[in-house]
Amino acid sequence: MTPDRVLRPNAGGVRPRLPIVDALVLQQGPNYFLAKRLQHWRAMVAAADGHAVSSNVAPASNTTSVLKNQLLAAAYAGANSGIIPPLQIFDPETSNVLMTYLLLHDLYEHTRKAKGGVRSWTGTQESTLAEHPLNLFATTAVHNGIWRCAYTLRSLLEVVVAYFYMQKYKTAALYTSAIAVGAGAAFLRSRI
C-alpha cells in the first residue's frame, strides 16, 4: 500500500461531458468485467432499436458469493462501518426488492411510452439516450453512494479493510501492545 493509492480524490466530469465513475473491483477479475460490459452493450443496442430494456445498476450487496472472498467481505464490513460516508452496502433482501421495483418501473414506463405517454423521471427515454447511450444505466442506478463519494473506490479498499481488521482485533491488539510496551519498559529498566 503506497500513499498515492490511498484516499485518491474522485474527479468527476462536468456536463456536457458524461461523468464516469471507475468502480471496478480488481478482485472480481476480467471475466466478470467482460460479462458486465457484454450485458450493457446488448442493452444499449436493444434500447436504440426501441425495445423495452431493464438493465439497472444493482447495489453492492452482502451476498454469499461476495462474502466467500475474505478481502471483499472485510471491505464490505468496513464500508458499512460509516467511516467513509456516503458508502453503504445493502442486505441481499433489500437489493432484491429494490431491483424488482425497478424492473416493474421500467416495464411500466415502456408500456406507458407505447401508449403515447412520456417517461416520468427524466423526460423521454429517447432524449436521455440521445445524449449518451450509457444514460440507460444512470437514470435508476443504485450506486451505494459510490458516485457521490469524495474518493475513488480502489483507493478506499485498503482503508476500509484496515479499519475492519482494526475493529475486529482491537482487543487483542491492545493487549499485545500493552505487553510489548511493558516488556520494552522492563528491558530498558534492566539495561539502566
Side-chain angles (χ1 to χ4, degrees):
M1 177 166 55
T2 59
D4 63 320
R5 286 182 36 140
V6 178
L7 299 179
R8 205 167 339 135
N10 196 3
V14 179
R15 285 202 177 269
R17 292 184 350 195
L18 184 67
I20 301 289
V21 175
D22 180 6
L24 296 177
V25 178
L26 299 179
Q27 288 77 8
Q28 292 175 317
N31 292 341
Y32 179 82
F33 302 148
L34 180 60
K36 289 297 173 189
R37 292 300 70 86
L38 288 173
Q39 287 176 353
H40 285 169
W41 292 332
R42 184 65 198 119
M44 287 186 286
V45 168
D49 289 343
H51 298 285
V53 174
S54 182
S55 183
N56 298 298
V57 175
S61 303
N62 287 316
T63 60
T64 305
S65 63
V66 169
L67 297 179
K68 283 181 185 176
N69 181 321
Q70 289 184 353
L71 179 62
L72 289 178
Y76 275 31
N80 265 349
S81 66
I83 64 163
I84 309 278
L87 292 182
Q88 185 65 43
I89 308 300
F90 285 46
D91 290 326
E93 297 80 17
T94 305
S95 295
N96 289 341
V97 170
L98 183 59
M99 296 313 290
T100 300
Y101 280 123
L102 287 175
L103 170 65
L104 294 172
H105 170 267
D106 290 344
L107 293 172
Y108 171 77
E109 288 299 326
H110 183 76
T111 305
R112 181 176 152 123
K113 182 184 140 239
K115 293 179 179 177
V118 293
R119 191 174 173 100
S120 61
W121 288 13
T122 59
T124 63
Q125 186 173 8
E126 289 78 18
S127 66
T128 304
L129 291 176
E131 187 177 323
H132 198 284
L134 288 175
N135 282 336
L136 175 67
F137 313 106
T139 305
T140 56
V142 184
H143 52 79
N144 301 77
I146 293 169
W147 292 6
R148 296 183 300 122
C149 190
Y151 307 104
T152 62
L153 182 63
R154 269 181 264 173
S155 73
L156 292 175
L157 287 178
E158 289 95 351
V159 174
V160 295
V161 168
Y163 182 81
F164 168 74
Y165 282 115
M166 284 175 25
Q167 291 301 311
K168 183 175 180 180
Y169 297 112
K170 70 180 173 185
T171 306
L174 286 174
Y175 289 138
T176 304
S177 299
I179 290 169
V181 168
F187 175 75
L188 288 176
R189 223 178 299 144
S190 69
R191 297 296 230 179
I192 297 178

